[in-house]
Structures are given as C-alpha cells and as structure tokens.
Amino acid sequence: MSPGPSTGLGRVVDQIEESLIAILLGLMTLITFANVIARYVLNSNILWALEATVFLFAWLVLIGVSYCVKVTAHLGVDVVVNIVSPRARKVMTLLSVICCLVFTGLLLKGSWDYWWLFANKRAFLEVNDVPMPAFLQFFAVWLNEGELYEKLPRFIPYFALPLGMALLMFRFLQAGWRILTDRQTLLIASHEVADEVHRPTADNREA
C-alpha cells in the first residue's frame, strides 16, 4: 500500500521539497551547460561553476532523501516482513520507524551543532569560489559586523545539513503515523515497484 495524499502541513512540506528539487536540478543543469559552452566554445571558464554544482548536488541529495521516504522510494529487504502476518508486519515496520527516528534525531543534533558554528562564531568563513550575491549581503550586517562578503559564507550552503535532517525527521514521523493508521504498510519500495520497473523489459523481449 503506497502512501496517500498529504494534508495540511504535509502538503506544505511537499511543495517545499518538490519546488527545491526542481530548482536545484534546473540550476545544476544551467550552470553545467553554461560552463561547457564557456570552456569549449568561448575558450574560457566559469571559475565557481564546479563548487556551486557540488553544493547544489549536496542540497539535492539531502532533500531528496526525505522526499524518497514520503514516496516510499528507498530500497530495502522485505523478505521477512512479507512472510509474517499483517499485524506482525505492522509492529516490525513501526519498530523500524522508531529506529529511523532515533538515528535521524542524532544526525539532526550533530548537523545542527556543526552548522551553528558557521552561523555564529565562524560566520566570517567563506567558500572558495562562489561569489556572494548582492541581495544576500544583509547577512553581512547581521553576522559579519557589517563587513561585506566577497564569497558566499559557508553557513548558507552548509544549511542543507540541518534542513535535510529536519525534513527527514518530519517524513519519518509522517510515515509512522500513516503506518499506525493503516494508510501505509512499509517504509521501503515493495516488490510491486520492482515488478513495474522490470515489466517494460520483459514486454520488449516478447516483442
């Protein structure tokens, strides 16, 4: 059983995740394409393109992890839960949710502590290449004693860590509630998903 449509806060988080994923993918594609044109057509180079793409990819992965929990796209081993009774499967899945919540809570605490240093005592530290956009210079007034940033301060790209873990925590709580209320059965992609993936290949062989 796949998760049903989200309601309330879930819809807001859905929109945030889906919008961010689309924006990040678009920016990565645009920057990479522009750098290819600059390098092979104009014989130039966008110095900050590689670092920006790495940061965008990190954001994409960390946000994508939580979205995959929402759509049950994470892979897992379901051999045991498929041979037990529905009641035992529900208990085992809820225990898995609890383990995931504990692990995610530790990651959230660690990522927040790590990021907070760069947003507080190390707010002056900048990345290597990505220039600071003018519309974000208000951070210099707030956190850098008014001294303008030349490069992007590290606390901005590093914010992907606590944000991604907070979204992941929310998704596990959401999944746990759905499992508890019998609107979802597993945290992982079921065998039905694998069957759908391989079905076109089998159809092509028959053709």
Side-chain angles (χ1 to χ4, degrees):
M1 183 186 299
S2 59
S6 301
T7 58
L9 179 61
R11 280 200 301 267
V12 175
V13 177
D14 288 350
Q15 293 176 354
I16 292 173
E17 286 181 342
E18 292 168 3
S19 298
L20 284 175
I21 288 172
I23 291 170
L24 292 168
L25 278 172
L27 287 174
M28 287 175 62
T29 303
L30 181 62
I31 293 172
T32 302
F33 177 75
N35 198 34
V36 169
I37 296 298
R39 179 172 298 178
Y40 293 103
V41 177
L42 304 177
N43 197 26
S44 182
N45 184 38
I46 302 176
L47 180 62
W48 49 267
L50 177 60
E51 186 178 46
T53 304
V54 169
F55 285 138
L56 290 171
F57 184 70
W59 276 72
L60 181 65
V61 169
L62 290 168
I63 294 174
V65 166
S66 65
Y67 188 73
C68 285
V69 173
K70 187 259 181 182
V71 298
T72 62
H74 286 293
L75 300 179
V77 179
D78 58 358
V79 175
V80 176
V81 293
N82 282 337
I83 63 175
V84 299
S85 66
R87 182 178 178 82
R89 183 187 303 123
K90 181 176 180 179
V91 172
M92 294 173 68
T93 306
L94 287 173
L95 288 174
S96 298
V97 172
I98 293 173
C99 292
C100 290
L101 285 171
V102 172
F103 182 67
T104 306
L106 294 173
L107 290 177
L108 178 58
K109 176 64 168 59
S111 62
W112 175 267
D113 290 344
Y114 179 78
W115 172 80
W116 182 246
L117 287 175
F118 291 96
N120 188 14
K121 296 180 180 179
R122 301 178 185 174
F124 61 91
L125 290 178
E126 302 174 344
V127 301
N128 295 325
D129 299 317
V130 182
M132 179 64 166
F135 72 92
L136 293 179
Q137 286 292 359
F138 63 88
F139 282 120
V141 179
W142 291 358
L143 303 172
N144 203 34
E145 299 179 352
E147 183 177 350
L148 297 181
Y149 290 105
E150 180 181 354
K151 300 293 193 303
L152 195 71
R154 294 189 183 186
F155 65 82
I156 292 179
Y158 289 5
F159 184 65
L161 291 167
L163 175 62
M165 293 305 101
L167 289 173
L168 186 60
M169 175 73 75
F170 172 78
R171 289 307 188 188
F172 279 132
L173 289 171
Q174 187 182 48
W177 176 250
R178 284 175 169 164
I179 293 165
L180 192 63
T181 55
D182 296 320
R183 289 184 291 162
Q184 184 175 332
T185 54
L186 296 174
L187 279 174
I188 59 175
S190 63
H191 275 113
E192 288 78 6
V193 176
D195 292 341
E196 291 297 326
V197 170
H198 292 294
R199 184 171 298 170
T201 303
D203 293 342
N204 291 336
R205 288 176 180 174
E206 291 176 1

